[in-house]
Amino acid sequence: MYIEKINPVRFEDVLKTLPDINKLSKFQLTNLLEVKRNLEKQYKEFEILYHVAQEYQTPFFESQKKIRLVLGSNQSGKTLSGFVQAQKIALGIDPYHKIKIPNRGRIGTTSFKLISDDLEMHFERWTPKHEIKHIKRYTTGEIKQIKFKNDSVIDILSYQQDTEMWEGWQGHWAFLNEPPPREKYIATLRGLIRNNGIIWLMLTPLSEPWIWRDLYSNSNNPDVECWIWEYDKNKYNTEEARQTFITNLKEDEKEARLYGRQQQLYGLVYKEYKPQVHLVNDFEIPKEWTRFFAMDYHPRADIVCLWLAVDPNGKFYVYDELLANGTIKDIADRIKAKEGTDIIRQRFVDWISSTPERGGDEVSNPTREFARYQIFMRNAVKEFSTGIDSVRQALALDRTGQPGLSTLRKCTEFNSAMAYYTWKEYTDNNLGQSQRVNKQFSHFPDCLRYILVMKPRHILASVEAYIPQEFKANSITGYGH
């Protein structure tokens, strides 16, 4: 029997088509009982045909995007949904993705233990035994490969395996369960190129920040679609189970495990920053909005630049970013290219840029050099604590639940940095006591602090950009005074 020929009818549906059951003859009742037995057997053997997605899950199954990402809480149905999608495509019964038969797919998950404890359970329940041709196993006993009678193949791998084991594969689809290391994701993506394949990731966002940065926050990729599945949306989760689950969670785990949102790291500098609140879809900033610029200068590393606009209501929007290396002229040219004809009201730069380069000319410094190329900046205020507080106030929600600052999704480096900017010294016993921060993600948040500590406000567009007198280039030397 081929699975695609089976009609997944439930006995309850049959009853709805019949007249009053009390009026049926003994012979008819006997036949009805046989129908019931056959349908129950069919349901048990081909349960996957009877799977119905919950309302909040349906958009995932229907989406035609090449890359689909579900950030789901625990018990939101993400693993089951991902697995059912895989089985249906392999068996040729998926109504939304008509991939040719036979096809080859890959399932990747965190560990061999998860293959044994979780995936095997789903295989046992949802894989029709009549459709399996043979199963291969690893030497340790876990399922390695399933081949169906239609010659479709599913390969199963663990993120614990060396990346070399993930390379060289070619397939039509892939399902990655829980956050994969980026190199495993890239190896899988590469393997889908020839067949123009599709991939879906179903995970609780507890690790691998690259996923949030490169997929969830990257609105510039038209091939990606993302969803957040919360615990409360799953109708099969009882309130009693929910409360029991919550009591066993640490405070910093709740965002990810209950709501499927990016986990809050220990010691975040800006705990107020939440991507689901502060990120907005990209749009063109109106010319009449007031614009500001900040630079975090690094003589031996990438230079970081940030642009912020203020609307007539005083709300802030981070709308562009630049991470660049090269000569000062190269970077100045890139800044001008981004700005075009935009008027920048004020520019700020960290104080180190006003000091001479090591071994350089004492009469010159990076700030003066940028001024030679019409990028005029003033030193940022060193008020670290005041600056931090200014950013926190901007991130806070008003009475209507709206933040004072939003950031465009295209600013992926900035958005990632804000989500992972932490204090350098942090323990449960001295929360936030340290004034030192981890430098890895500090540069874009520093730029934001340079601007907001100066209390920027909306000014009529007719006002020209402010250029501090001390930074105006001398007509003869090209240097400031």
Side-chain angles (χ1 to χ4, degrees), residues 267 269 296-298 301-302 304 323 350-352 382 384 388 413 416-418 420-425 434-447 449-450:
V269 176
D296 202 29
Y297 178 80
H298 305 279
D302 287 342
V304 171
L323 187 65
D350 58 311
W351 62 272
I352 194 173
K382 294 184 183 181
F384 180 78
I388 293 288
E413 295 292 341
S416 178
M418 288 292 287
Y420 293 95
Y421 182 38
T422 58
W423 298 105
K424 189 174 184 62
E425 296 176 1
S434 173
Q435 284 289 304
R436 295 194 298 167
V437 295
N438 284 312
K439 292 296 183 182
Q440 181 182 2
F441 295 103
S442 68
H443 308 303
F444 278 106
D446 282 349
C447 285
R449 175 166 55 84
Y450 299 158

Side-chain angles (χ1 to χ4, degrees), residues 202 226-227 288 337 347 362 389 391 398 437 443 446 460:
M202 317 292 282
C226 308
W227 301 267
E288 64 271 18
R347 300 182 191 270
E362 289 296 324
D389 186 61
V391 175
D398 62 19
V437 295
H443 308 303
D446 282 349
L460 293 177

Side-chain angles (χ1 to χ4, degrees), residues 75-93:
Q75 301 301 314
S76 62
K78 59 187 186 301
T79 300
L80 174 59
S81 296
F83 184 84
V84 167
Q85 176 89 104
Q87 290 283 288
K88 286 188 173 184
I89 290 177
L91 292 167
I93 57 173

Side-chain angles (χ1 to χ4, degrees), residues 106-112 115 119 138 143-144 155-159 161 165-166 169:
R106 163 181 283 181
I107 296 178
T109 194
T110 307
S111 63
F112 284 108
I115 294 176
L119 292 185
Y138 289 100
I143 293 179
K144 180 179 182 180
D155 300 306
I156 299 96
L157 289 89
S158 162
Y159 304 150
Q161 292 172 282
M165 297 291 293
W166 288 68
W169 171 84

Side-chain angles (χ1 to χ4, degrees), residues 269-288:
V269 176
Y270 297 122
K271 292 184 178 180
E272 300 83 358
Y273 177 79
K274 300 183 186 302
Q276 65 274 14
V277 172
H278 294 94
L279 265 63
V280 296
N281 292 331
D282 300 341
F283 66 96
E284 187 174 349
I285 299 296
K287 284 289 185 183
E288 64 271 18

Side-chain angles (χ1 to χ4, degrees), residues 104 106 163-171 186-188 190-191:
R104 192 177 198 108
R106 163 181 283 181
T163 303
E164 288 76 10
M165 297 291 293
W166 288 68
E167 298 283 1
W169 171 84
Q170 289 185 1
I186 294 298
T188 301
R190 190 181 298 120

